Amino acid sequence: MSNPNLERRLSRFLPVLDWGRGYGRADLMGDGIAAIVVTIMLIPQSLAYALLAGVPAEVGLYASIAPLIAYAVFGSSRTLSVGPVAIVSLMTAAALAELNLQSATAIVAAAGVLALLSGLILLAMGALRLGFVANFLSHPVISGFITASGLLIATSQLKHLLGVPVSGHTLPDTIGQLARSLGQINLPTLIIGVFATVFLVWVRSGLARVLKTLRTPVGLIGPLVKAGPVFAVVATTWAAWQFDLGNHGVSLVGEVPSGLPSPEMPAFDPDVWLALMGSAALISLIGFVESVSVAQTLAAKRRQRIEPNQELVGLGAANVASAVAGGIPVTGGFSRSVVNFEAGARTPAAGVFTAIGIALAALFLTPYLFFLPKATLAATIVVAVLTLVDLKILQRSWRYSRADFSAVVLTMLLTLLVGVEAGVASGVVLSLLLHIYKTSRPHIAEVGLVPGSEHFRNILRHDVETDPQVLTLRIDESLYFANARMMEDHIYARVSADRELRHLILMFSAVNELDISALESLETINDRLKAMGIALHLSEVKGPVMDRLQRSSFLEHMTGKVFLSQYAAFQALRRIQPEPAAA
Amino acid sequence: MSNPNLERRLSRFLPVLDWGRGYGRADLMGDGIAAIVVTIMLIPQSLAYALLAGVPAEVGLYASIAPLIAYAVFGSSRTLSVGPVAIVSLMTAAALAELNLQSATAIVAAAGVLALLSGLILLAMGALRLGFVANFLSHPVISGFITASGLLIATSQLKHLLGVPVSGHTLPDTIGQLARSLGQINLPTLIIGVFATVFLVWVRSGLARVLKTLRTPVGLIGPLVKAGPVFAVVATTWAAWQFDLGNHGVSLVGEVPSGLPSPEMPAFDPDVWLALMGSAALISLIGFVESVSVAQTLAAKRRQRIEPNQELVGLGAANVASAVAGGIPVTGGFSRSVVNFEAGARTPAAGVFTAIGIALAALFLTPYLFFLPKATLAATIVVAVLTLVDLKILQRSWRYSRADFSAVVLTMLLTLLVGVEAGVASGVVLSLLLHIYKTSRPHIAEVGLVPGSEHFRNILRHDVETDPQVLTLRIDESLYFANARMMEDHIYARVSADRELRHLILMFSAVNELDISALESLETINDRLKAMGIALHLSEVKGPVMDRLQRSSFLEHMTGKVFLSQYAAFQALRRIQPEPAAA
């Protein structure tokens, strides 16, 4: 590879070529330690999120091996850790539920198809450089969705904590079923669930304080706290074995097959593929948004850059790998990536080492998982997802703007009451409609000269100079079909009452775009004002808009002139010229 | 009515109270003459557009009586003339064809339902003040739709001009059927069709010249030219009677019932009503847009104002009246309104007089219509609609912008190939998506001071002063979720390479809106720049945006300041201060 240009392009598509070249001993140390910490943390998390997705626990382990290796090769983040995450698992469960499959084998197979489709969609988006599509998920939609998902996930786990049979994919459904089955609560399960939950909450708050007083090195506190679930897993597994809780109504993980399934492409069944396509698209998009925002936050801390389109390729490859390895849809997770970063990971090789760790666990640890109570896994999920719930967004968005607030509320309510897909989709559509509605009624300010400057501001907000025969209107919006007519009406209403007027200046400093409908309106305004003996001028027309106007014949018919600055326009047209001293 | 406030509000809802009060002899003269001219013009037009809509000819007359009276009471235009028009009749035909009705009675009944639904939709939009919804039909969509409709209508009439049996609602369909039936052309029909077409084309161009050389008063030339179809009708009817053309394969209008049907509400059939609802909504919207633009053009000539929401009420009432009177959907027509205006109509009373004229025609003229060849009516339609076809819009929009061009082309193609409703709907959706796409990739200009002024322009387009430690970026777009992230990326890319930089000024003169997603981005930018030792400042923040920022905590954390003007910001932050003489 002596061609440096080709090399640069290749290493852009295969970031491994970039970081792999200079890999040294320090990298190995950092990556190795991070991998050990993350592996310990990932084992219970992978099992838990598999159960959340509605597939057997071991599938979570399979989804935490091959995808990490694929991401290490193609991903652009140095420290992102991919695998099953709460929200994507929730969406997976919702998508699989719609298929109404009965056998566990069919469900696992469908989950693989979902991962494959997500992977292919992400790869296609990457190839077409469609990363910007994710920008259409507005902050209110994402916040509302994540908060609602956190609540949905937490309530969905209550059945495991209480030991009652419940299945529902919307909040009213789940709560209704829970209420009806309160009489069947299993006491040992409840004790384990409450113990695990309280312990995990304490680990997050109290343990850090205890470790600090014990003078534990600061760098270790974070990983130790994140490894809390492992202690809960070990303790409750031991208790379940010791007291034979399986025969006292406590749900256990049970027989977990040892070893790894042989790689296999999901079978092609057009009905299933078609049915899962919409869900796969939404899972890809949400997973991508979640992952990219984690990756960017971490990259910024070390002044590294994330290439969103390359991230699509990385995540796409990870999902295809998950599908082939018998896993479920995956994405970059927040807490695991932070742990990876804080434990000192320096390159994606940490992900490869983590994959090796999980593979060893799948090979040798599974017999010990037999007695692991599902209530413990449910507790780790509940404690993890409650950090996602951010109800303050309601208050913040309400204070900031009613439009943003309504997008938060709609997304949240529909996610809780109808489902995750309806929630996101209607949030996006509402956000776009609200934006269009806002731009369709432009703010138009009458402006005057701020004394002692060349600056023009709204006459209603500032003390400014004006002239009776010159009217300046600042159009505060790009002009396009949805608002051009409204601008016309505004101008006629303002101008028709004013007998002294000789010049109308439209100040175009905020007009970023002018489509052909708006051009038509400008031509009509020009003609009508001409009939009234008023000249039409433009000021502060931006380059791109001016380019456009020059491609039409409008400037030839215009009764007035185009001025570079509003000040130049006002000075040229005002009747009352300022005194020479002030000039 | 002694309460002037109530009176004003009432006359706003019932414009007749306004113009009816001061009605005088001069008004009566003007309105009377206009009514005679318009009546003569409307008789063949009403018959023709009824046939175009797929209903018997006399239904066109019924639709030209009651609606005119209803509009005179409720409409806000002084000179608009309502009745069956080409495009609405085409849309009516398309909507009725979808129902697959067999009997003529059922088709007429369904047309009445369509008129009623359109009327109710228009009234509801008027009551809810939804007139602005029409603004979402962009100029390219309307132009493309009208041109395509003109072509569709013209080809749909070829069957009458050639005397062959053809029925199709898309261009390829109609043309295919025409091609296959070329062998069955009826010669007498062809002769009448060609004669009528050539005559009508000559009336539009040659007749005006002849009349001018004959020193006909200028005011009469327009109406005489517009009455051209009447001559064609009389001549071909006479020929059909004289030569017994009905028995030589020429399609005649035939038996037209004399008198008027008694007023009757269309029967309620949920299936039919539901099936027609979508078409009715689109017919209302298109009819409203067409009518309002005619009304505004005419009103502007006499310095009168059109109130769009009152127009909705006027057109709604006209359609309900048409439904009750056994008619079809109606709207304000361009050519008839212009004739009414030019013939001297001064108030909506002209419409009432026209209605009386048409009613007399329905009572006494119908026996004479028996021998009227359908080919003559087809010729009047073809000549009228070809003026709608404006293929230059393709060239103009191509030159102006690719986005506008693609909206024209999509609307035109889908209207021709799929149907009128698909054409309009996809045109609107494409226009909105294109607008959103454009705003999602904002233009960001680096600006500097234009020497000798306080004005800042793009450094790439103008010769301006800059300072190595101050960077000013002018954001040329409102900031919202779809583009906030792109602005972030742009800023990081520009700033990270520049070691000397100490201040970044974001010039907000073109930022008209800032949603909570963009606020989030600004906060992130502020934090990251802080870590790089660069202060973030804002300049020329508009009132509404500043109000918004003050409702968040952003301004408290911001590392820099908000400056009223960009000039003030630059003067305060630049390292190289200008020499005192230049200050």
Side-chain angles (χ1 to χ4, degrees), chain A residues 268-281:
Chain A
F268 179 69
D269 175 343
D271 287 345
V272 173
W273 285 47
L274 212 63
L276 291 175
M277 195 49 97
S279 307

PDB file of all heavy atoms in Angstrom, chain A residues 268-281:
ATOM      1  N   PHE A 268     -34.367 -16.883   5.131  1.00  0.00           N
ATOM      2  CA  PHE A 268     -35.158 -15.860   4.461  1.00  0.00           C
ATOM      3  C   PHE A 268     -36.627 -16.277   4.378  1.00  0.00           C
ATOM      4  O   PHE A 268     -36.972 -17.235   3.703  1.00  0.00           O
ATOM      5  CB  PHE A 268     -34.610 -15.598   3.057  1.00  0.00           C
ATOM      6  CG  PHE A 268     -35.402 -14.564   2.326  1.00  0.00           C
ATOM      7  CD1 PHE A 268     -35.366 -13.227   2.752  1.00  0.00           C
ATOM      8  CD2 PHE A 268     -36.204 -14.895   1.248  1.00  0.00           C
ATOM      9  CE1 PHE A 268     -36.108 -12.259   2.099  1.00  0.00           C
ATOM     10  CE2 PHE A 268     -36.952 -13.928   0.583  1.00  0.00           C
ATOM     11  CZ  PHE A 268     -36.898 -12.610   1.018  1.00  0.00           C
ATOM     12  N   ASP A 269     -37.468 -15.546   5.090  1.00  0.00           N
ATOM     13  CA  ASP A 269     -38.915 -15.790   5.043  1.00  0.00           C
ATOM     14  C   ASP A 269     -39.560 -14.439   4.738  1.00  0.00           C
ATOM     15  O   ASP A 269     -39.638 -13.566   5.609  1.00  0.00           O
ATOM     16  CB  ASP A 269     -39.371 -16.330   6.411  1.00  0.00           C
ATOM     17  CG  ASP A 269     -40.887 -16.490   6.465  1.00  0.00           C
ATOM     18  OD1 ASP A 269     -41.580 -15.899   5.622  1.00  0.00           O
ATOM     19  OD2 ASP A 269     -41.357 -17.204   7.368  1.00  0.00           O
ATOM     20  N   PRO A 270     -40.022 -14.248   3.475  1.00  0.00           N
ATOM     21  CA  PRO A 270     -40.489 -12.910   3.055  1.00  0.00           C
ATOM     22  C   PRO A 270     -41.519 -12.314   4.002  1.00  0.00           C
ATOM     23  O   PRO A 270     -41.486 -11.120   4.273  1.00  0.00           O
ATOM     24  CB  PRO A 270     -41.085 -13.151   1.667  1.00  0.00           C
ATOM     25  CG  PRO A 270     -40.765 -14.537   1.285  1.00  0.00           C
ATOM     26  CD  PRO A 270     -40.178 -15.260   2.440  1.00  0.00           C
ATOM     27  N   ASP A 271     -42.430 -13.135   4.526  1.00  0.00           N
ATOM     28  CA  ASP A 271     -43.475 -12.604   5.409  1.00  0.00           C
ATOM     29  C   ASP A 271     -42.867 -11.980   6.657  1.00  0.00           C
ATOM     30  O   ASP A 271     -43.198 -10.861   7.037  1.00  0.00           O
ATOM     31  CB  ASP A 271     -44.446 -13.716   5.807  1.00  0.00           C
ATOM     32  CG  ASP A 271     -45.353 -14.101   4.647  1.00  0.00           C
ATOM     33  OD1 ASP A 271     -45.398 -13.312   3.674  1.00  0.00           O
ATOM     34  OD2 ASP A 271     -45.990 -15.160   4.718  1.00  0.00           O
ATOM     35  N   VAL A 272     -41.972 -12.753   7.306  1.00  0.00           N
ATOM     36  CA  VAL A 272     -41.361 -12.265   8.541  1.00  0.00           C
ATOM     37  C   VAL A 272     -40.508 -11.034   8.240  1.00  0.00           C
ATOM     38  O   VAL A 272     -40.561 -10.028   8.964  1.00  0.00           O
ATOM     39  CB  VAL A 272     -40.498 -13.379   9.178  1.00  0.00           C
ATOM     40  CG1 VAL A 272     -39.723 -12.839  10.363  1.00  0.00           C
ATOM     41  CG2 VAL A 272     -41.391 -14.535   9.600  1.00  0.00           C
ATOM     42  N   TRP A 273     -39.728 -11.073   7.178  1.00  0.00           N
ATOM     43  CA  TRP A 273     -38.851  -9.947   6.857  1.00  0.00           C
ATOM     44  C   TRP A 273     -39.653  -8.677   6.622  1.00  0.00           C
ATOM     45  O   TRP A 273     -39.319  -7.612   7.122  1.00  0.00           O
ATOM     46  CB  TRP A 273     -38.001 -10.274   5.611  1.00  0.00           C
ATOM     47  CG  TRP A 273     -36.890 -11.222   5.906  1.00  0.00           C
ATOM     48  CD1 TRP A 273     -36.968 -12.375   6.613  1.00  0.00           C
ATOM     49  CD2 TRP A 273     -35.520 -11.085   5.517  1.00  0.00           C
ATOM     50  NE1 TRP A 273     -35.742 -12.987   6.679  1.00  0.00           N
ATOM     51  CE2 TRP A 273     -34.831 -12.216   6.011  1.00  0.00           C
ATOM     52  CE3 TRP A 273     -34.812 -10.141   4.784  1.00  0.00           C
ATOM     53  CZ2 TRP A 273     -33.473 -12.409   5.815  1.00  0.00           C
ATOM     54  CZ3 TRP A 273     -33.451 -10.338   4.568  1.00  0.00           C
ATOM     55  CH2 TRP A 273     -32.788 -11.461   5.090  1.00  0.00           C
ATOM     56  N   LEU A 274     -40.727  -8.835   5.850  1.00  0.00           N
ATOM     57  CA  LEU A 274     -41.551  -7.668   5.537  1.00  0.00           C
ATOM     58  C   LEU A 274     -42.198  -7.117   6.811  1.00  0.00           C
ATOM     59  O   LEU A 274     -42.242  -5.901   7.033  1.00  0.00           O
ATOM     60  CB  LEU A 274     -42.640  -8.071   4.535  1.00  0.00           C
ATOM     61  CG  LEU A 274     -43.046  -6.968   3.571  1.00  0.00           C
ATOM     62  CD1 LEU A 274     -41.862  -6.572   2.704  1.00  0.00           C
ATOM     63  CD2 LEU A 274     -44.197  -7.440   2.691  1.00  0.00           C
ATOM     64  N   ALA A 275     -42.676  -8.030   7.659  1.00  0.00           N
ATOM     65  CA  ALA A 275     -43.362  -7.609   8.875  1.00  0.00           C
ATOM     66  C   ALA A 275     -42.403  -6.869   9.807  1.00  0.00           C
ATOM     67  O   ALA A 275     -42.812  -5.991  10.562  1.00  0.00           O
ATOM     68  CB  ALA A 275     -43.967  -8.817   9.584  1.00  0.00           C
ATOM     69  N   LEU A 276     -41.125  -7.236   9.768  1.00  0.00           N
ATOM     70  CA  LEU A 276     -40.161  -6.637  10.694  1.00  0.00           C
ATOM     71  C   LEU A 276     -39.473  -5.400  10.124  1.00  0.00           C
ATOM     72  O   LEU A 276     -38.726  -4.715  10.822  1.00  0.00           O
ATOM     73  CB  LEU A 276     -39.107  -7.671  11.100  1.00  0.00           C
ATOM     74  CG  LEU A 276     -39.621  -8.820  11.985  1.00  0.00           C
ATOM     75  CD1 LEU A 276     -38.509  -9.838  12.213  1.00  0.00           C
ATOM     76  CD2 LEU A 276     -40.104  -8.277  13.327  1.00  0.00           C
ATOM     77  N   MET A 277     -39.685  -5.107   8.839  1.00  0.00           N
ATOM     78  CA  MET A 277     -38.931  -4.038   8.192  1.00  0.00           C
ATOM     79  C   MET A 277     -39.096  -2.678   8.886  1.00  0.00           C
ATOM     80  O   MET A 277     -38.129  -1.985   9.174  1.00  0.00           O
ATOM     81  CB  MET A 277     -39.369  -3.948   6.724  1.00  0.00           C
ATOM     82  CG  MET A 277     -38.457  -3.160   5.826  1.00  0.00           C
ATOM     83  SD  MET A 277     -36.712  -3.591   5.961  1.00  0.00           S
ATOM     84  CE  MET A 277     -36.540  -4.729   4.597  1.00  0.00           C
ATOM     85  N   GLY A 278     -40.356  -2.302   9.161  1.00  0.00           N
ATOM     86  CA  GLY A 278     -40.609  -1.001   9.797  1.00  0.00           C
ATOM     87  C   GLY A 278     -39.944  -0.909  11.159  1.00  0.00           C
ATOM     88  O   GLY A 278     -39.272   0.091  11.468  1.00  0.00           O
ATOM     89  N   SER A 279     -40.099  -1.960  11.964  1.00  0.00           N
ATOM     90  CA  SER A 279     -39.482  -1.959  13.291  1.00  0.00           C
ATOM     91  C   SER A 279     -37.974  -1.876  13.163  1.00  0.00           C
ATOM     92  O   SER A 279     -37.313  -1.153  13.929  1.00  0.00           O
ATOM     93  CB  SER A 279     -39.851  -3.225  14.048  1.00  0.00           C
ATOM     94  OG  SER A 279     -41.239  -3.390  14.073  1.00  0.00           O
ATOM     95  N   ALA A 280     -37.415  -2.605  12.201  1.00  0.00           N
ATOM     96  CA  ALA A 280     -35.957  -2.600  12.029  1.00  0.00           C
ATOM     97  C   ALA A 280     -35.464  -1.196  11.704  1.00  0.00           C
ATOM     98  O   ALA A 280     -34.443  -0.741  12.227  1.00  0.00           O
ATOM     99  CB  ALA A 280     -35.553  -3.570  10.923  1.00  0.00           C
ATOM    100  N   ALA A 281     -36.219  -0.487  10.857  1.00  0.00           N
ATOM    101  CA  ALA A 281     -35.810   0.869  10.488  1.00  0.00           C
ATOM    102  C   ALA A 281     -35.787   1.771  11.719  1.00  0.00           C
ATOM    103  O   ALA A 281     -34.852   2.541  11.938  1.00  0.00           O
ATOM    104  CB  ALA A 281     -36.756   1.429   9.427  1.00  0.00           C
TER     105      ALA A 281
END
